[in-house]
Amino acid sequence: MTLVITLLTDFGISDSYVAEMKAVLISAIPTVQLVDVSHDVSPGDIHAAQYLLGRSWRPFPAGTVHLVVVDPGVGTGRRALAVERDSHFFVGPDNGVLTPILDRATVVALPPDPGASRTFHGRDIFAPAAARLAQGTPVTSLGLPIVHPLRITIPEPSQNGKTVAGVVIYVDRFGTLVTNIPAAWARPSQKVHVGGVVVPLLQTFGDVATGALVAFSGSDRTIEIAVRDGSAAERLKGKVGTQVRVAEV
Amino acid sequence: MTLVITLLTDFGISDSYVAEMKAVLISAIPTVQLVDVSHDVSPGDIHAAQYLLGRSWRPFPAGTVHLVVVDPGVGTGRRALAVERDSHFFVGPDNGVLTPILDRATVVALPPDPGASRTFHGRDIFAPAAARLAQGTPVTSLGLPIVHPLRITIPEPSQNGKTVAGVVIYVDRFGTLVTNIPAAWARPSQKVHVGGVVVPLLQTFGDVATGALVAFSGSDRTIEIAVRDGSAAERLKGKVGTQVRVAEV
Amino acid sequence: MTLVITLLTDFGISDSYVAEMKAVLISAIPTVQLVDVSHDVSPGDIHAAQYLLGRSWRPFPAGTVHLVVVDPGVGTGRRALAVERDSHFFVGPDNGVLTPILDRATVVALPPDPGASRTFHGRDIFAPAAARLAQGTPVTSLGLPIVHPLRITIPEPSQNGKTVAGVVIYVDRFGTLVTNIPAAWARPSQKVHVGGVVVPLLQTFGDVATGALVAFSGSDRTIEIAVRDGSAAERLKGKVGTQVRVAEV
């Protein structure tokens, strides 16, 4: 059986840090299928890593191990976690980055390793744990169960009559503003209000002319705001935290 | 047999979009050999993607599937294509990006999928089709044949006596200007004219001093203009479309 | 047995050059496990490539082939090398980039290939040699032994009584300054002097407050200087070559 391990870090791709983690994984499992989710998370940006983890883990095959190392507190007292959730496995620091998969999960704390470096737990703690999980070691064999892993919850949208209020939770490479508003909460007759501008709620980029603003149900089933062949982030000066409202008028 | 799928997109590597496509591919074929051609094509830059596809597909093994998603018209009426050419397979939008491989090819249009998102056909339409082709499904089983896929042709160079006129069609990371002029059309006695400057036609970087301009037959067998240990794009303000002439004087 | 080949280049990830090398490797060995070390070395930066190679090769499994193509002299008279060292194999130009693995190594010069391009030996010379080594061809079958490959040595740190003097040899994505001073040469009572600033020598980022400077034994066992949740390179205007001193006061 082919074992799959995904990697999500803020290590960038200029240095050899990602390759050094992969060396550990391949030494343990030479045939492992490795998939980079992203290494271009801004240093220490736990919110962005959360979003990427939350939307990307589920389509991978059951048994996949997801290695998440956005870890500004490396070497401090923060715990290291291994998690099982719906036949997927996760390894990462206990700093909130694993929040999207903690519900209904089995969570253990990895024991400290006195032989590990103090600054590169991705290589010395997390990658070895990921390899063991991929090889079939039960998550409960890797450490003691804990009941209160740290959670950093994404702000919830709120509904007030027919109006929905939410925020931008992610900005992608195209400058598309991804909100926390479930597309199912919006109605075709409504409009999206952001930065003092009213944006029509349609289906896709192609429903408006080049250069025009459009909102639609995005690929993660939340409301997104885009500019066809352009950047909504630039146009609207939108960023994570920008308020968005969906309303009849 | 190991199946190979290449990926060429404008999705960037910061977001999880590429990984979400790979999740689809790996779920279908756990042992698949995945190769990133580039994900750093400028958003919607069909010309650059064409160039990269045109020069990179052929050295892959027969049976390789090339997944090309530079798709600014996603969700509009543009068709989705699957193509067989010389025992290679290609999947991508019908927007001209597949032009370099359409000659002598079998081309079908993929049927619309009402369950697909309207903004991420890479994950919902193209990746599943690529997986089916890699698994051996005949291209003609994936859709109805079409005879006029959209072509966006790269400008042809022209010959006038001993003079050849062409243009820059790509600028690489080193600032090297890649032209559409076949190296076989130029003679060693000739010179390359670009941006009012005359550049000697030699063999390689090392034929000139550091910092000097040089033209040569590039790795794709067309004339390229470079600066040794520098950038010809910067020096000459060259870019895609810049006119280039090869002449005796 | 799964064969492993790593790739370390300055080709960037926008162009298709890396994929074209991988096409050669996969055509020879369809099941090969390919690992990117970095393709984001600054064009021609042999020192950075040296550092990345030196710290990353050893954790890979015995038998791994390391393909290193930072090759500003491509097409000139510089030789092409294949190397065996401690059951690892290396292929790259004879320009100093392989210095970290040349001690106690078997080194041969690859013969010129008249069919190769003059500007892309990564694809035409080095990748084919790497594939042959991975397939088990002895290094001595690939070329004639040479005894004086080019070495570009990293500056050595020096000790004067209790004081150690060294330099910054690498700056990573986080702005951490990596020095050539072995952590074992420093004592906990000492301080690190750099750019007129005195930095405490502790264990890890978490030993200081957010925004504060800290020095520690890095993941490659040399002294590193960092800012917690920030960039030491920015704060100290530190770069490769910046002088660093470890002393009692």
Short mmCIF file of all heavy atoms in Angstrom, two decimals, chain C residues 11-74:
data_model
loop_
_atom_site.label_atom_id
_atom_site.label_comp_id
_atom_site.label_asym_id
_atom_site.label_seq_id
_atom_site.Cartn_x
_atom_site.Cartn_y
_atom_site.Cartn_z
N PHE C 11 17.73 27.12 -10.79
CA PHE C 11 16.86 27.25 -11.96
C PHE C 11 15.54 27.96 -11.66
O PHE C 11 14.79 28.27 -12.57
CB PHE C 11 16.55 25.87 -12.55
CG PHE C 11 17.72 25.21 -13.22
CD1 PHE C 11 17.66 23.86 -13.55
CD2 PHE C 11 18.87 25.91 -13.54
CE1 PHE C 11 18.73 23.24 -14.18
CE2 PHE C 11 19.95 25.29 -14.16
CZ PHE C 11 19.88 23.95 -14.49
N GLY C 12 15.23 28.16 -10.38
CA GLY C 12 13.93 28.73 -10.06
C GLY C 12 12.82 27.74 -10.33
O GLY C 12 13.06 26.62 -10.80
N ILE C 13 11.60 28.15 -10.03
CA ILE C 13 10.47 27.24 -10.24
C ILE C 13 9.45 27.82 -11.21
O ILE C 13 8.37 27.27 -11.39
CB ILE C 13 9.78 26.89 -8.91
CG1 ILE C 13 9.31 28.17 -8.20
CG2 ILE C 13 10.71 26.10 -8.00
CD1 ILE C 13 8.31 27.89 -7.13
N SER C 14 9.79 28.93 -11.86
CA SER C 14 8.86 29.50 -12.84
C SER C 14 9.00 28.83 -14.20
O SER C 14 8.01 28.65 -14.90
CB SER C 14 9.13 31.00 -13.02
OG SER C 14 8.94 31.67 -11.81
N ASP C 15 10.23 28.50 -14.56
CA ASP C 15 10.48 27.91 -15.87
C ASP C 15 10.35 26.39 -15.79
O ASP C 15 10.14 25.83 -14.72
CB ASP C 15 11.89 28.31 -16.33
CG ASP C 15 12.09 29.82 -16.30
OD1 ASP C 15 11.17 30.55 -16.67
OD2 ASP C 15 13.19 30.26 -15.89
N SER C 16 10.47 25.73 -16.94
CA SER C 16 10.29 24.28 -16.97
C SER C 16 11.60 23.51 -16.85
O SER C 16 11.63 22.30 -17.03
CB SER C 16 9.58 23.88 -18.27
OG SER C 16 10.34 24.28 -19.40
N TYR C 17 12.70 24.20 -16.52
CA TYR C 17 14.01 23.55 -16.54
C TYR C 17 14.08 22.37 -15.57
O TYR C 17 14.63 21.32 -15.88
CB TYR C 17 15.12 24.55 -16.23
CG TYR C 17 15.18 25.72 -17.20
CD1 TYR C 17 15.36 27.02 -16.75
CD2 TYR C 17 15.06 25.52 -18.57
CE1 TYR C 17 15.42 28.10 -17.64
CE2 TYR C 17 15.11 26.59 -19.46
CZ TYR C 17 15.29 27.87 -18.99
OH TYR C 17 15.34 28.93 -19.86
N VAL C 18 13.56 22.56 -14.37
CA VAL C 18 13.62 21.47 -13.38
C VAL C 18 12.80 20.28 -13.88
O VAL C 18 13.25 19.13 -13.80
CB VAL C 18 13.11 21.96 -12.01
CG1 VAL C 18 12.96 20.78 -11.04
CG2 VAL C 18 14.05 23.01 -11.43
N ALA C 19 11.63 20.54 -14.43
CA ALA C 19 10.79 19.45 -14.94
C ALA C 19 11.47 18.72 -16.09
O ALA C 19 11.33 17.50 -16.23
CB ALA C 19 9.43 20.00 -15.39
N GLU C 20 12.23 19.45 -16.89
CA GLU C 20 12.92 18.79 -18.01
C GLU C 20 14.02 17.86 -17.50
O GLU C 20 14.26 16.79 -18.07
CB GLU C 20 13.47 19.83 -18.98
CG GLU C 20 12.34 20.57 -19.70
CD GLU C 20 12.83 21.75 -20.54
OE1 GLU C 20 13.75 21.57 -21.35
OE2 GLU C 20 12.29 22.86 -20.37
N MET C 21 14.68 18.23 -16.42
CA MET C 21 15.64 17.31 -15.80
C MET C 21 14.90 16.09 -15.23
O MET C 21 15.35 14.95 -15.35
CB MET C 21 16.42 18.00 -14.68
CG MET C 21 17.42 19.02 -15.19
SD MET C 21 18.70 19.35 -13.94
CE MET C 21 17.67 19.98 -12.63
N LYS C 22 13.77 16.35 -14.58
CA LYS C 22 13.02 15.24 -13.99
C LYS C 22 12.49 14.29 -15.07
O LYS C 22 12.40 13.08 -14.83
CB LYS C 22 11.87 15.78 -13.13
CG LYS C 22 12.37 16.47 -11.86
CD LYS C 22 11.22 16.99 -11.00
CE LYS C 22 11.76 17.60 -9.70
NZ LYS C 22 10.67 18.19 -8.87
N ALA C 23 12.16 14.82 -16.24
CA ALA C 23 11.72 13.96 -17.34
C ALA C 23 12.82 12.96 -17.71
O ALA C 23 12.54 11.78 -17.97
CB ALA C 23 11.32 14.80 -18.54
N VAL C 24 14.06 13.44 -17.72
CA VAL C 24 15.19 12.55 -18.02
C VAL C 24 15.31 11.47 -16.94
O VAL C 24 15.49 10.28 -17.22
CB VAL C 24 16.50 13.36 -18.12
CG1 VAL C 24 17.71 12.44 -18.24
CG2 VAL C 24 16.42 14.33 -19.30
N LEU C 25 15.19 11.89 -15.69
CA LEU C 25 15.36 10.94 -14.57
C LEU C 25 14.24 9.91 -14.54
O LEU C 25 14.48 8.71 -14.35
CB LEU C 25 15.40 11.72 -13.25
CG LEU C 25 16.54 12.74 -13.11
CD1 LEU C 25 16.34 13.60 -11.86
CD2 LEU C 25 17.90 12.05 -13.09
N ILE C 26 13.01 10.37 -14.76
CA ILE C 26 11.86 9.46 -14.71
C ILE C 26 11.83 8.54 -15.92
O ILE C 26 11.41 7.38 -15.82
CB ILE C 26 10.56 10.29 -14.63
CG1 ILE C 26 10.43 10.90 -13.24
CG2 ILE C 26 9.34 9.45 -14.96
CD1 ILE C 26 9.28 11.87 -13.11
N SER C 27 12.29 9.03 -17.06
CA SER C 27 12.35 8.16 -18.23
C SER C 27 13.30 7.00 -17.98
O SER C 27 13.06 5.88 -18.42
CB SER C 27 12.78 8.95 -19.46
OG SER C 27 11.80 9.91 -19.78
N ALA C 28 14.38 7.25 -17.24
CA ALA C 28 15.34 6.20 -16.92
C ALA C 28 14.83 5.32 -15.78
O ALA C 28 15.01 4.10 -15.79
CB ALA C 28 16.69 6.81 -16.56
N ILE C 29 14.21 5.93 -14.78
CA ILE C 29 13.80 5.22 -13.55
C ILE C 29 12.40 5.69 -13.17
O ILE C 29 12.23 6.60 -12.36
CB ILE C 29 14.77 5.53 -12.39
CG1 ILE C 29 16.23 5.38 -12.82
CG2 ILE C 29 14.46 4.62 -11.18
CD1 ILE C 29 17.23 5.93 -11.81
N PRO C 30 11.37 5.06 -13.73
CA PRO C 30 10.00 5.55 -13.51
C PRO C 30 9.59 5.63 -12.04
O PRO C 30 8.82 6.51 -11.66
CB PRO C 30 9.14 4.53 -14.25
CG PRO C 30 10.03 3.98 -15.32
CD PRO C 30 11.41 3.95 -14.71
N THR C 31 10.12 4.75 -11.19
CA THR C 31 9.71 4.75 -9.78
C THR C 31 10.59 5.61 -8.89
O THR C 31 10.45 5.60 -7.67
CB THR C 31 9.77 3.31 -9.22
OG1 THR C 31 11.12 2.84 -9.34
CG2 THR C 31 8.82 2.39 -9.96
N VAL C 32 11.51 6.37 -9.48
CA VAL C 32 12.46 7.13 -8.67
C VAL C 32 11.74 8.08 -7.69
O VAL C 32 10.70 8.65 -8.03
CB VAL C 32 13.42 7.93 -9.58
CG1 VAL C 32 12.68 9.01 -10.38
CG2 VAL C 32 14.56 8.54 -8.78
N GLN C 33 12.29 8.19 -6.50
CA GLN C 33 11.77 9.14 -5.51
C GLN C 33 12.58 10.43 -5.66
O GLN C 33 13.77 10.47 -5.32
CB GLN C 33 11.95 8.54 -4.12
CG GLN C 33 11.53 9.40 -2.95
CD GLN C 33 10.03 9.50 -2.74
OE1 GLN C 33 9.42 10.46 -3.20
NE2 GLN C 33 9.44 8.55 -2.03
N LEU C 34 11.95 11.48 -6.16
CA LEU C 34 12.65 12.75 -6.41
C LEU C 34 12.37 13.71 -5.27
O LEU C 34 11.23 13.89 -4.86
CB LEU C 34 12.17 13.36 -7.73
CG LEU C 34 12.44 12.54 -8.99
CD1 LEU C 34 11.78 13.19 -10.20
CD2 LEU C 34 13.94 12.39 -9.23
N VAL C 35 13.42 14.36 -4.77
CA VAL C 35 13.26 15.34 -3.69
C VAL C 35 13.94 16.65 -4.08
O VAL C 35 15.14 16.67 -4.37
CB VAL C 35 13.86 14.83 -2.37
CG1 VAL C 35 13.70 15.89 -1.28
CG2 VAL C 35 13.22 13.52 -1.94
N ASP C 36 13.18 17.73 -4.10
CA ASP C 36 13.76 19.05 -4.35
C ASP C 36 14.41 19.56 -3.07
O ASP C 36 13.75 19.69 -2.04
CB ASP C 36 12.65 20.03 -4.75
CG ASP C 36 11.95 19.61 -6.03
OD1 ASP C 36 12.65 19.39 -7.03
OD2 ASP C 36 10.71 19.48 -6.02
N VAL C 37 15.70 19.85 -3.12
CA VAL C 37 16.35 20.49 -1.97
C VAL C 37 16.05 21.99 -2.04
O VAL C 37 15.47 22.56 -1.12
CB VAL C 37 17.86 20.22 -1.96
CG1 VAL C 37 18.55 21.02 -0.86
CG2 VAL C 37 18.11 18.72 -1.79
N SER C 38 16.42 22.61 -3.13
CA SER C 38 16.03 24.00 -3.40
C SER C 38 16.31 24.27 -4.86
O SER C 38 17.26 23.74 -5.43
CB SER C 38 16.83 24.98 -2.53
OG SER C 38 16.49 26.32 -2.89
N HIS C 39 15.45 25.08 -5.47
CA HIS C 39 15.74 25.59 -6.80
C HIS C 39 15.81 27.11 -6.76
O HIS C 39 15.89 27.77 -7.78
CB HIS C 39 14.67 25.13 -7.79
CG HIS C 39 14.59 23.64 -7.87
ND1 HIS C 39 15.63 22.88 -8.35
CD2 HIS C 39 13.65 22.76 -7.47
CE1 HIS C 39 15.31 21.60 -8.26
NE2 HIS C 39 14.12 21.51 -7.73
N ASP C 40 15.82 27.64 -5.56
CA ASP C 40 15.72 29.07 -5.37
C ASP C 40 17.03 29.69 -4.92
O ASP C 40 17.07 30.78 -4.38
CB ASP C 40 14.62 29.34 -4.34
CG ASP C 40 14.02 30.71 -4.50
OD1 ASP C 40 14.01 31.21 -5.63
OD2 ASP C 40 13.58 31.27 -3.48
N VAL C 41 18.14 28.97 -5.14
CA VAL C 41 19.46 29.56 -4.95
C VAL C 41 19.57 30.74 -5.91
O VAL C 41 19.13 30.65 -7.06
CB VAL C 41 20.54 28.50 -5.27
CG1 VAL C 41 21.93 29.11 -5.30
CG2 VAL C 41 20.47 27.34 -4.27
N SER C 42 20.10 31.86 -5.45
CA SER C 42 20.28 33.00 -6.36
C SER C 42 21.14 32.57 -7.54
O SER C 42 22.09 31.81 -7.36
CB SER C 42 20.97 34.17 -5.65
OG SER C 42 20.17 34.64 -4.61
N PRO C 43 20.83 33.05 -8.75
CA PRO C 43 21.58 32.62 -9.92
C PRO C 43 23.10 32.68 -9.69
O PRO C 43 23.64 33.73 -9.37
CB PRO C 43 21.13 33.60 -11.01
CG PRO C 43 19.72 33.94 -10.63
CD PRO C 43 19.73 33.98 -9.12
N GLY C 44 23.75 31.51 -9.81
CA GLY C 44 25.19 31.45 -9.70
C GLY C 44 25.76 31.53 -8.30
O GLY C 44 26.98 31.61 -8.13
N ASP C 45 24.93 31.48 -7.26
CA ASP C 45 25.43 31.63 -5.89
C ASP C 45 25.97 30.29 -5.37
O ASP C 45 25.29 29.52 -4.70
CB ASP C 45 24.32 32.14 -4.97
CG ASP C 45 24.84 32.48 -3.57
OD1 ASP C 45 25.98 32.09 -3.22
OD2 ASP C 45 24.11 33.15 -2.82
N ILE C 46 27.23 30.04 -5.69
CA ILE C 46 27.86 28.77 -5.34
C ILE C 46 27.98 28.61 -3.83
O ILE C 46 27.82 27.51 -3.29
CB ILE C 46 29.24 28.68 -6.05
CG1 ILE C 46 29.02 28.52 -7.56
CG2 ILE C 46 30.07 27.52 -5.51
CD1 ILE C 46 30.27 28.68 -8.39
N HIS C 47 28.21 29.71 -3.11
CA HIS C 47 28.34 29.61 -1.65
C HIS C 47 27.05 29.12 -1.00
O HIS C 47 27.07 28.26 -0.12
CB HIS C 47 28.75 30.96 -1.05
CG HIS C 47 30.19 31.27 -1.26
ND1 HIS C 47 30.62 32.02 -2.33
CD2 HIS C 47 31.30 30.90 -0.58
CE1 HIS C 47 31.95 32.13 -2.28
NE2 HIS C 47 32.38 31.46 -1.23
N ALA C 48 25.92 29.67 -1.41
CA ALA C 48 24.64 29.25 -0.82
C ALA C 48 24.37 27.78 -1.14
O ALA C 48 23.93 27.01 -0.28
CB ALA C 48 23.51 30.14 -1.33
N ALA C 49 24.65 27.38 -2.38
CA ALA C 49 24.40 25.99 -2.77
C ALA C 49 25.28 25.04 -1.96
O ALA C 49 24.83 23.98 -1.51
CB ALA C 49 24.64 25.82 -4.27
N GLN C 50 26.53 25.43 -1.76
CA GLN C 50 27.45 24.66 -0.91
C GLN C 50 26.87 24.44 0.47
O GLN C 50 26.90 23.34 1.01
CB GLN C 50 28.72 25.47 -0.71
CG GLN C 50 29.83 25.21 -1.65
CD GLN C 50 31.12 25.83 -1.10
OE1 GLN C 50 31.12 26.57 -0.12
NE2 GLN C 50 32.21 25.51 -1.75
N TYR C 51 26.40 25.52 1.07
CA TYR C 51 25.86 25.42 2.43
C TYR C 51 24.67 24.46 2.47
O TYR C 51 24.59 23.58 3.34
CB TYR C 51 25.45 26.80 2.95
CG TYR C 51 24.73 26.70 4.28
CD1 TYR C 51 25.44 26.42 5.45
CD2 TYR C 51 23.35 26.83 4.35
CE1 TYR C 51 24.78 26.29 6.67
CE2 TYR C 51 22.69 26.70 5.57
CZ TYR C 51 23.40 26.43 6.72
OH TYR C 51 22.75 26.29 7.91
N LEU C 52 23.75 24.61 1.50
CA LEU C 52 22.56 23.76 1.49
C LEU C 52 22.92 22.30 1.26
O LEU C 52 22.38 21.40 1.90
CB LEU C 52 21.57 24.25 0.42
CG LEU C 52 21.01 25.66 0.68
CD1 LEU C 52 20.14 26.10 -0.50
CD2 LEU C 52 20.21 25.70 1.98
N LEU C 53 23.85 22.06 0.33
CA LEU C 53 24.29 20.68 0.11
C LEU C 53 24.93 20.12 1.36
O LEU C 53 24.61 19.00 1.80
CB LEU C 53 25.31 20.65 -1.04
CG LEU C 53 25.96 19.28 -1.28
CD1 LEU C 53 24.93 18.26 -1.75
CD2 LEU C 53 27.11 19.38 -2.29
N GLY C 54 25.83 20.89 1.96
CA GLY C 54 26.59 20.41 3.11
C GLY C 54 25.72 19.99 4.27
O GLY C 54 26.02 19.02 4.98
N ARG C 55 24.61 20.69 4.49
CA ARG C 55 23.78 20.35 5.64
C ARG C 55 22.67 19.35 5.32
O ARG C 55 22.04 18.82 6.24
CB ARG C 55 23.19 21.60 6.29
CG ARG C 55 22.21 22.40 5.49
CD ARG C 55 21.54 23.46 6.38
NE ARG C 55 20.56 22.85 7.24
CZ ARG C 55 20.12 23.32 8.40
NH1 ARG C 55 20.58 24.46 8.85
NH2 ARG C 55 19.22 22.68 9.10
N SER C 56 22.39 19.12 4.05
CA SER C 56 21.19 18.32 3.74
C SER C 56 21.45 16.92 3.22
O SER C 56 20.55 16.08 3.25
CB SER C 56 20.31 19.07 2.73
OG SER C 56 20.95 19.16 1.48
N TRP C 57 22.66 16.62 2.74
CA TRP C 57 22.82 15.33 2.05
C TRP C 57 22.80 14.13 2.99
O TRP C 57 22.30 13.07 2.66
CB TRP C 57 24.10 15.31 1.21
CG TRP C 57 25.39 15.28 1.98
CD1 TRP C 57 26.07 16.35 2.47
CD2 TRP C 57 26.15 14.13 2.35
NE1 TRP C 57 27.21 15.95 3.12
CE2 TRP C 57 27.29 14.59 3.06
CE3 TRP C 57 26.01 12.75 2.15
CZ2 TRP C 57 28.26 13.73 3.58
CZ3 TRP C 57 26.98 11.88 2.66
CH2 TRP C 57 28.08 12.37 3.37
N ARG C 58 23.34 14.30 4.20
CA ARG C 58 23.65 13.13 5.01
C ARG C 58 22.42 12.38 5.53
O ARG C 58 22.44 11.14 5.60
CB ARG C 58 24.56 13.52 6.16
CG ARG C 58 25.38 12.38 6.68
CD ARG C 58 26.23 12.82 7.85
NE ARG C 58 27.46 13.49 7.45
CZ ARG C 58 28.56 12.84 7.09
NH1 ARG C 58 28.59 11.52 7.08
NH2 ARG C 58 29.64 13.51 6.77
N PRO C 59 21.32 13.06 5.88
CA PRO C 59 20.16 12.29 6.37
C PRO C 59 19.43 11.47 5.30
O PRO C 59 18.55 10.68 5.66
CB PRO C 59 19.22 13.38 6.95
CG PRO C 59 19.73 14.68 6.45
CD PRO C 59 21.17 14.50 6.12
N PHE C 60 19.77 11.61 4.05
CA PHE C 60 19.13 10.78 3.03
C PHE C 60 19.69 9.35 3.09
O PHE C 60 20.79 9.14 3.59
CB PHE C 60 19.32 11.38 1.63
CG PHE C 60 18.39 12.54 1.39
CD1 PHE C 60 18.78 13.84 1.68
CD2 PHE C 60 17.10 12.33 0.91
CE1 PHE C 60 17.91 14.90 1.48
CE2 PHE C 60 16.23 13.39 0.73
CZ PHE C 60 16.63 14.67 1.02
N PRO C 61 18.92 8.38 2.59
CA PRO C 61 19.38 6.99 2.67
C PRO C 61 20.67 6.77 1.88
O PRO C 61 20.93 7.46 0.88
CB PRO C 61 18.23 6.19 2.02
CG PRO C 61 17.06 7.10 1.97
CD PRO C 61 17.58 8.50 1.97
N ALA C 62 21.46 5.80 2.32
CA ALA C 62 22.64 5.40 1.56
C ALA C 62 22.19 5.06 0.14
O ALA C 62 21.11 4.50 -0.06
CB ALA C 62 23.30 4.18 2.21
N GLY C 63 23.00 5.42 -0.83
CA GLY C 63 22.66 5.18 -2.22
C GLY C 63 21.98 6.36 -2.90
O GLY C 63 21.84 6.36 -4.13
N THR C 64 21.59 7.36 -2.12
CA THR C 64 20.95 8.53 -2.73
C THR C 64 21.93 9.25 -3.67
O THR C 64 23.12 9.37 -3.37
CB THR C 64 20.47 9.50 -1.63
OG1 THR C 64 19.45 8.86 -0.87
CG2 THR C 64 19.92 10.80 -2.22
N VAL C 65 21.40 9.73 -4.78
CA VAL C 65 22.18 10.54 -5.72
C VAL C 65 21.75 12.00 -5.56
O VAL C 65 20.56 12.30 -5.59
CB VAL C 65 21.94 10.09 -7.18
CG1 VAL C 65 22.77 10.96 -8.13
CG2 VAL C 65 22.30 8.62 -7.34
N HIS C 66 22.72 12.88 -5.40
CA HIS C 66 22.46 14.30 -5.21
C HIS C 66 22.91 15.05 -6.46
O HIS C 66 24.10 15.09 -6.77
CB HIS C 66 23.18 14.81 -3.97
CG HIS C 66 22.86 14.04 -2.72
ND1 HIS C 66 21.80 14.35 -1.92
CD2 HIS C 66 23.43 12.93 -2.18
CE1 HIS C 66 21.74 13.48 -0.90
NE2 HIS C 66 22.73 12.62 -1.04
N LEU C 67 21.93 15.65 -7.14
CA LEU C 67 22.17 16.34 -8.40
C LEU C 67 22.23 17.83 -8.08
O LEU C 67 21.26 18.41 -7.61
CB LEU C 67 20.99 15.99 -9.31
CG LEU C 67 20.88 16.47 -10.72
CD1 LEU C 67 22.17 16.29 -11.48
CD2 LEU C 67 19.75 15.69 -11.41
N VAL C 68 23.40 18.44 -8.32
CA VAL C 68 23.63 19.83 -7.94
C VAL C 68 23.98 20.63 -9.19
O VAL C 68 25.04 20.43 -9.77
CB VAL C 68 24.77 19.94 -6.91
CG1 VAL C 68 24.95 21.38 -6.45
CG2 VAL C 68 24.52 19.02 -5.72
N VAL C 69 23.09 21.52 -9.60
CA VAL C 69 23.35 22.28 -10.82
C VAL C 69 23.23 23.78 -10.56
O VAL C 69 22.20 24.40 -10.80
CB VAL C 69 22.42 21.84 -11.97
CG1 VAL C 69 22.93 22.43 -13.28
CG2 VAL C 69 22.34 20.32 -12.08
N VAL C 70 24.28 24.32 -10.00
CA VAL C 70 24.46 25.77 -9.92
C VAL C 70 25.72 26.00 -10.73
O VAL C 70 26.82 25.71 -10.27
CB VAL C 70 24.58 26.25 -8.46
CG1 VAL C 70 24.87 27.75 -8.40
CG2 VAL C 70 23.31 25.91 -7.70
N ASP C 71 25.55 26.47 -11.93
CA ASP C 71 26.54 26.23 -12.98
C ASP C 71 26.71 27.43 -13.90
O ASP C 71 26.47 27.34 -15.10
CB ASP C 71 26.05 24.99 -13.78
CG ASP C 71 27.11 24.48 -14.75
OD1 ASP C 71 28.29 24.82 -14.59
OD2 ASP C 71 26.73 23.73 -15.66
N PRO C 72 27.17 28.58 -13.32
CA PRO C 72 27.28 29.76 -14.19
C PRO C 72 28.26 29.56 -15.33
O PRO C 72 28.18 30.28 -16.33
CB PRO C 72 27.75 30.86 -13.22
CG PRO C 72 28.29 30.16 -12.02
CD PRO C 72 27.55 28.85 -11.93
N GLY C 73 29.16 28.59 -15.23
CA GLY C 73 30.13 28.38 -16.30
C GLY C 73 29.72 27.32 -17.31
O GLY C 73 30.56 26.80 -18.04
N VAL C 74 28.41 27.01 -17.37
CA VAL C 74 27.97 25.98 -18.30
C VAL C 74 28.44 26.29 -19.72
O VAL C 74 28.36 27.43 -20.17
CB VAL C 74 26.42 25.83 -18.27
CG1 VAL C 74 25.73 27.11 -18.69
CG2 VAL C 74 25.98 24.66 -19.12
#
